[in-house]
């Protein structure tokens, strides 16, 4: 009995150290990452200085502006679609009741060239973490 007690006492500190190794540090923020691509059907080259803006939005509130949860901006640099994106969202900002979507637009000197006109759900309400967006051309005025 004494021998068993000594072995148990010796094993407890080792077990607690192993348990501590398996838990992530409390300071590390939990992130959810949304990945995907952006393209458009038209075979139109955009200028190198055009900017692609991709956002993860909380669109839960009716009759209220969407809340931006994450945003990525990149110059097209003369490249043509598809463009890959990756957006990290702080998991603490997500609520399962929310409705999150990803949206994109292409602008040139503040003028809108292409925009997503379809809702692409992500992260909440059973939606995944990937989305391939198809933008539509905005008519020139």
């Amino acid at each position: 009995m004494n021998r068993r007690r000594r072995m148990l006492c010796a094993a407890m500190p080792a077990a607690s150290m192993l348990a501590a190794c398996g838990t992530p540090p409390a300071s590390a923020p939990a992130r959810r990452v949304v990945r995907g691509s952006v393209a458009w059907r038209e075979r139109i080259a955009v200028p190198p200085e055009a900017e692609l803006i991709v956002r993860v939005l909380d669109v839960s509130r009716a009759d209220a502006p969407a809340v931006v949860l994450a945003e990525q901006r990149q110059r097209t640099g003369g490249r043509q679609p598809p463009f890959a994106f990756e957006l990290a969202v702080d998991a603490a900002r997500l609520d399962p009741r929310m409705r999150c979507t990803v949206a994109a637009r292409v602008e040139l000197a503040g003028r809108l060239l292409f925009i997503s006109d379809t809702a692409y759900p992500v992260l909440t309400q059973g939606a995944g973490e990937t989305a391939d967006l198809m933008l539509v051309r905005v008519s020139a005025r």
Side-chain angles (χ1 to χ4, degrees):
M1 180 76 159
N2 227 359
R3 181 177 157 185
R4 202 152 115 192
R5 189 177 291 173
R6 277 186 291 179
M7 287 178 60
L8 185 60
C9 289
M12 287 181 72
S16 64
M17 281 194 278
L18 284 174
C21 291
T23 57
S27 62
R31 306 290 248 179
R32 299 279 307 271
V33 179
V34 177
R35 292 179 178 88
S37 65
V38 176
W40 48 86
R41 284 184 181 29
E42 295 86 350
R43 296 183 146 260
I44 298 172
V46 295
E49 56 276 358
E51 185 175 42
L52 170 65
I53 305 163
V54 184
R55 295 179 177 132
V56 175
L57 305 168
D58 171 10
V59 295
S60 303
R61 297 182 186 179
D63 299 328
V67 176
V68 178
L69 300 174
E71 179 178 278
Q72 176 182 317
R73 292 173 174 259
Q74 60 178 305
R75 297 264 182 224
T76 59
R79 295 174 291 125
Q80 298 307 314
F83 296 96
F85 67 87
E86 184 173 303
L87 294 157
V89 178
D90 182 3
R93 295 184 69 189
L94 296 174
D95 182 314
R97 298 170 294 180
M98 292 169 75
R99 183 166 177 253
C100 294
T101 62
V102 62
R105 59 194 299 135
V106 177
E107 295 180 358
L108 177 62
R111 190 178 59 128
L112 187 61
L113 301 176
F114 293 91
I115 192 163
S116 53
D117 68 345
T118 303
Y120 295 91
V122 290
L123 301 178
T124 56
Q125 299 184 357
E129 295 182 345
T130 60
D132 294 318
L133 286 67
M134 186 60 64
L135 306 188
V136 295
R137 184 176 180 200
V138 176
S139 58
R141 294 180 189 211

